[in-house]
Amino acid sequence: MEVLLQNEDTIAAVATGMGGAGIGIIRISGDQAVELGNNLFVNPKGKTLKTAKSHELIYGKIIDPETHKDIDEVLISKMKAPHSYTAEDVVEINCHGGIVPMRKILKLVIQAGARLAEPGEFTKRAFLNGRMDLTQAEAVIDIINAKTEKSLEYSVAQLEGRLSQKLEELDGTLIEILSHMEVNIDYPEYDIEEISYNFVNTQILGLLKKINEILAVAETGKIYREGITTAILGEPNVGKSSLLNTLLMEDKAIVTDIPGTTRDTIEEYINIEGIPFKIIDTAGIRETENLVEKIGVEKSKALLNQTNLVIFMRDISKALSEGEKELIELLKNRRTIYIANKTDAVSEQDLEIPAPWIPMSLLEDEGIELLKQKMLEMVFEGTVNQDADYLITNTRHISLLEVTKTSLENAIKTMDSQMPIELVSIDVMEALEALRGITGKAVGMDIIDQIFKNFCIGK
Amino acid sequence: MTYSGGDYDIIVIGAGHAGSEAALASARIGLKTLLLTINLDSVAMMPCNPSIGGTGKGHLVREIDALGGEMGKNIDATMIQCKMLNTAKGPAVHSLRAQADKKAYQFRMKEVIENQVNLLLKQQEATEIIVENGKITGVVVNTGALYTCKAAIICSGTYLKGRIIIGDVQYDGGPNGLFPAMYLSDSLEKNGIELQRFKTGTPARVDAKTLDYSKMIIQEGDEHIVPFSFETDQIDIDQVPCYLTYTNPETHNIINANIERSPLYTGEVVGIGPRYCPSIETKVMRFHDKERHQIFMEPEGLNTNEIYVQGMSSCLPEDVQIALYRTVPGMEQVEFMRSAYAIEYDCIHPTRLKASLESKEVAGLFFAGQINGTSGYEEAGAQGLIAGINASLYLRGEQPVIIDRSEGYIGVLIDDIITKGIDEPYRMMTSRAEYRLLLRQDNADLRLTEIGHRVGLISDERFQKFLDKKEQIKEEIERLNHVTVKPTKENNEILKSFGSSEIQHGLSIGELIKRPEVKYLQTDVFDPVRPQLHWSVMEQVEVQIKYEGYIKKQLQQVEQFKKLEHKLIPQGINYPEIGGLRIEAAEKLQEIKPLSIGQASRISGVSPADISVLLIALEQRRRSSVKDVTTNE
Ligand SMILES: Nc1nc2c(ncn2[C@@H]2O[C@H](COP(=O)(O)OP(=O)(O)OP(=O)(O)O)[C@@H](O)[C@H]2O)c(=O)[nH]1
Ligand SMILES: [Mg+2]
């Protein structure tokens, strides 16, 4: 049901590209849009979104309604149905503070009850509500089908495959609980043991533990979506910007033979077999200075804490400097890939490069594939999270899993307040339905199938 | 040679549980109705267990009653024992079940039918349907009469090409030693109605005087009987008990030793049997580590020795049956009066029916009961009633009554069979209903009486009584929410004596009743001006207050559900033409032709993505038709 009611509920998403630190718009559409937006918004003069005129831009702040903390300064506007993009009530929040606050706001909107929009969903609604030309409908159908039929990039699909195995386990337990409850309800006179609240309770607590684990991984999943932050570090002129350009396959960073060319860090996104990386090209760290002193221990640690992965690059035609040695020491417990660049500049016989150094010549386009493999390897090894061998990236899936969790918590509450079993079963059923929203399996005959498989009943 | 037998508005074929309800409904609505039965002595016959109701099924009977059907009244008048099942659980799954006096049940129903104006009951076998221009126009019977009609309802139960199987003994036959109907199937197929083979079975009837009840456990009825019909006020009868006994390893050994003589295992039986009605041999083979199986002795009536041995249906040869029955405690000397048998029969694919139960192939031809692949008297009765109502509305050119999944078990039943299709005989279960908490047996009248009244099956007088009841419930809930209980010492003492906790500040009685341990009746100590109310009103008040939160939650779910049900799909759509629909989905949609997006979403093999594509296609269609209209102008 959840999935099918897509056209009725309130949806939200970032409506402009997420890259960079520019302005982003979060769009909310549906019956609840104004209500949701209103609850998160404060205006210094006490204006509210509810009382605002349609299409009026108002300045104010988004606050977390629980902590009352400011999240970002925004310009907000509402477009009353049908005079909006989707012909539903629409609220648009223009954020200024870049990706982090924008994501926070989106998260607040979702927590307040909106659902994350599917790809193409605003457009689909616009069409269904008569706001769009017929010819555009085909494109919408393509988007919908792309989502279900064109499989994801291989590596992501593999990880998500393992996730669905995890979900299958949860599904199995839920079906088991439900079929036992249902057989007790529908076949009260058969000598089948009554399922006890104690038992259900323990089972559900077990499920909740597993769900929390998956949701914790979901946090990591986010890193995958936002890109694995990868910093290229090294002394000036070793070829860091050249590497960024090669990975991007375009000239984004300025490359010169003058050491110290890159002054500010440059961030760009690349995609290796479906896994996004946010590559940060940094200004070279000068050999002559005490590295640790220069950037400061605290500052360097902070920088490193923000990155998931470090690519440390040296120029193999030069001897390892003291500064480089210090830096290597600093990186010892970090996920680091070591690159020895400019192999073309040394003669064959001098070229003995011990592991873990990866030989590279950007001039001759060598070593790039190896680097990419290494980067992926690090991700799958659990660079970011040691235990999880699966991945949950789809925000809709995450929110469905949250629903599963809430429903199971409700089931426990229902049992605690001594309500009868058929009410507990409503909660458990809701949990199953939400879970099935992720796996796409319909809730139907399989509970009854389980009943007949596991219990001997019938006249 | 045929002769003209006369003209009727509606002809009902078969006078079992479906046919009886169908014919009564159409006659009561005011249409001239003919009811044909293969044997006048088999009207409303119960060829299987002697009971009406049970989990889910009891709900159906109450719904039939709320709509103005006969089943509830008939069982109220002829029951010999009654029990409310699941009383240890919550009200949503309380279910009534009564043991019937089979003959009394039949006779009463027959009498009601015979005395119904507009209705004629005849012993004749329908052999052929006459279809002209895609519409039903008549029915031919075995004696040569041709009756013309504007609509017909086929309620042929398990009679169509019925085949009886008792081990290696097999012959053409209807249930209970009656003749099968061997001709109608071919006529249906000729008119484009595809058939499939289903199978069901029944245990032996044994002679009570050969049983030793002292070795069994007595099963009494309820002290206070709750009637099925909302119009029956109370039932005072001396109840007859049932008895419980068990199989044992010896029973299982006999089955194991003779299993190769079972046609189920030799593959001679091709019909698909229901999983919820397994034969004893199936139970033993499938659950071999189960040490014993329950066997209930159910009397078939007050004036007979016949005992229905529930739990012991079998298709083993008769000698094996007798041997295995005699291993059971209390049955050592048992004598059979009727042997257990399995029956195979023709039924239709219910996905070929509209929600009104009208055939998609032949206009004006309706189907109800076991012919639709369901099992059970109650399931049959419910469909019969709906088919009777809708055939009448069809004749009047009015919209059919379609009860949706949030309004009744009847809706769940019909939607399930026409949308999902079936691969075994369909039995109602409460777990099939998504909105179980709303579809309680206690509130069937609140859910459906209005529909019954609208179509003309509920009298104005009964309707007024119903409206009064509704009002009383509302008023009493209102009132209770305004009577405050103060946190005095005495009051807290009383609460403690209920096993409840003390209150710190004033609470309304309504709030108190929300506590699971506090009952409405107990709270009258806090309530000096409580009005005198009928028990059924008090029951509603209590349930509605106590489960308010959960009821609200389900109502919200229903609201969502209704949104999808109200997104109607025009019927002329050619699904394979819709670009973007997966082939499997297009085929299924083409077959079912769902009425709404909601129904479409319940078809197995139709994914949410298909639904999205469908929505877009519908919108495209709508707009281009709007455009066509404007360009034509
Ligand atoms: N021979 C050789 N030269 C290279 C290679 N990779 C980069 N270079 C050259 O090295 C010089 C410096 O390259 P950059 O990419 O600007 O180096 P950087 O590390 O970004 O330098 P800063 O920004 O100054 O820290 C340029 O002249 C590049 O053409 C290589 O593999 N072999
Ligand atoms: Mg640079």
Side-chain angles (χ1 to χ4, degrees), chain A residues 235-237 240 256-263 283-284 286:
Chain A
E235 293 200 334
N237 219 32
K240 301 182 295 298
T256 72
D257 56 357
I258 308 161
T261 304
T262 308
R263 294 303 175 115
R286 275 175 205 281

Side-chain angles (χ1 to χ4, degrees), chain A residues 8 127 132 182 186 189, chain B residues 86 97 431 436 567 623:
Chain A
E8 306 295 344
F127 175 77
M132 207 182 288
E182 295 302 324
D186 267 318
E189 290 183 303
Chain B
N86 269 336
R97 191 197 52 215
S431 26
R436 188 158 60 187
K567 280 208 162 50
R623 278 195 228 167

Side-chain angles (χ1 to χ4, degrees), chain A residues 241 254 261-262 281-282:
Chain A
S241 300
I254 302 164
T261 304
T262 308
D281 178 20
T282 62

Side-chain angles (χ1 to χ4, degrees), chain A residues 234-243 245 254-263 281-285 313 315 341-345 360-365:
Chain A
E235 293 200 334
N237 219 32
V238 294
K240 301 182 295 298
S241 300
S242 306
L243 177 60
N245 287 345
I254 302 164
V255 172
T256 72
D257 56 357
I258 308 161
T261 304
T262 308
R263 294 303 175 115
D281 178 20
T282 62
I285 300 163
M313 182 179 267
D315 180 345
N341 191 29
K342 305 195 188 179
T343 51
D344 56 277
M360 180 174 287
S361 167
L362 291 168
L363 200 69
E364 291 176 354
D365 212 11

Side-chain angles (χ1 to χ4, degrees), chain A residues 102-113:
Chain A
M102 195 146 80
R103 285 206 173 267
K104 263 192 197 147
I105 295 172
L106 184 60
K107 193 169 177 186
L108 288 175
V109 173
I110 304 280
Q111 275 169 353

Side-chain angles (χ1 to χ4, degrees), chain A residues 4-5 7-8 124 127 130 132 138 182 184-186 189-190 414 417 422 425 427 430 449 452 458, chain B residues 55 86 89-90 97 275-276 283 286 294 430-431 436 516 550 553 557 560 567 601 612 615 623:
Chain A
L4 293 167
L5 280 165
N7 306 304
E8 306 295 344
K124 183 175 111 189
F127 175 77
M132 207 182 288
E138 303 300 331
E182 295 302 324
N184 287 155
I185 291 170
D186 267 318
E189 290 183 303
Y190 287 80
T414 306
S417 52
E422 77 271 18
S425 114
D427 295 322
E430 208 171 61
D449 286 343
F452 292 123
Chain B
T55 48
N86 269 336
K89 305 187 180 81
R97 191 197 52 215
R275 285 173 299 174
Y276 48 82
K283 288 190 221 174
R286 285 204 41 227
Q294 288 171 312
T430 70
S431 26
R436 188 158 60 187
Y550 295 88
K553 197 163 143 188
Q557 293 174 351
Q560 302 283 46
K567 280 208 162 50
S601 70
S612 288
L615 282 170
R623 278 195 228 167

